[in-house]
Every structure is written in C-alpha cells, then in structure tokens.
Amino acid sequence: MWFYFFPKSSEKPGIVIELKKGSSCEDVIHQIKSKNYMQKLDECSKILLVGINYDEIKHHQCKIEVGEYI
C-alpha cells in the first residue's frame, strides 16, 4: 500500500510512503524507485521516500531517503 503527499509550497518536498509486511525497509525503498512511484510528484524537486515494514507482532522499521525526480 502506498500514499502520496503533495506539498502546498514548491519549496517543500513531496512524500511517497510505502507500507509492506514481512519485507526489509531497503526492499520497500527499492520498490518505490523501481515502480517509479515518484512520477506523480514530478513537479517536486525533492521527494522523501519513506519505506515502512511491519511484521505479525506489530513491530515496525522505517527508512527515509531523499530522492530527486529526474
């Protein structure tokens, strides 16, 4: 499941959040890039990529990476 957040100001970064169950945060970030989820935010010069992974016990991990739309 993924979400987009569009900034009100062009000076702020756009945000793409991907939620996964039973994966690694690195795999989640890789999926955001490989499936080009950033394309919807093409007007943003900076984009925050947020990968959140959780397991059956409700533990979670999060990784945030700054990406740029090219």
Side-chain angles (χ1 to χ4, degrees):
M1 178 183 313
W2 44 273
F3 301 92
Y4 295 106
F5 293 91
F6 295 90
K8 288 185 178 183
S9 166
S10 62
E11 297 172 5
K12 303 285 183 179
I15 301 172
V16 179
I17 298 176
E18 171 78 22
L19 304 171
K20 283 283 193 189
K21 179 178 165 186
S23 190
S24 73
C25 291
E26 289 77 18
D27 288 343
V28 178
I29 295 287
H30 177 72
Q31 180 175 333
I32 291 171
K33 292 177 180 178
S34 68
K35 294 198 174 188
N36 202 19
Y37 293 160
M38 298 179 294
Q39 182 179 8
K40 295 268 188 193
L41 299 169
D42 62 350
E43 294 180 13
C44 302
S45 60
K46 296 275 187 199
I47 301 171
L48 294 179
L49 311 177
V50 181
I52 301 174
N53 174 56
Y54 60 96
D55 61 22
E56 297 286 334
I57 307 172
K58 301 286 183 175
H59 293 120
H60 68 275
Q61 299 171 332
C62 179
K63 180 176 181 177
I64 301 172
E65 189 175 301
V66 177
E68 292 191 29
Y69 184 76
I70 298 172

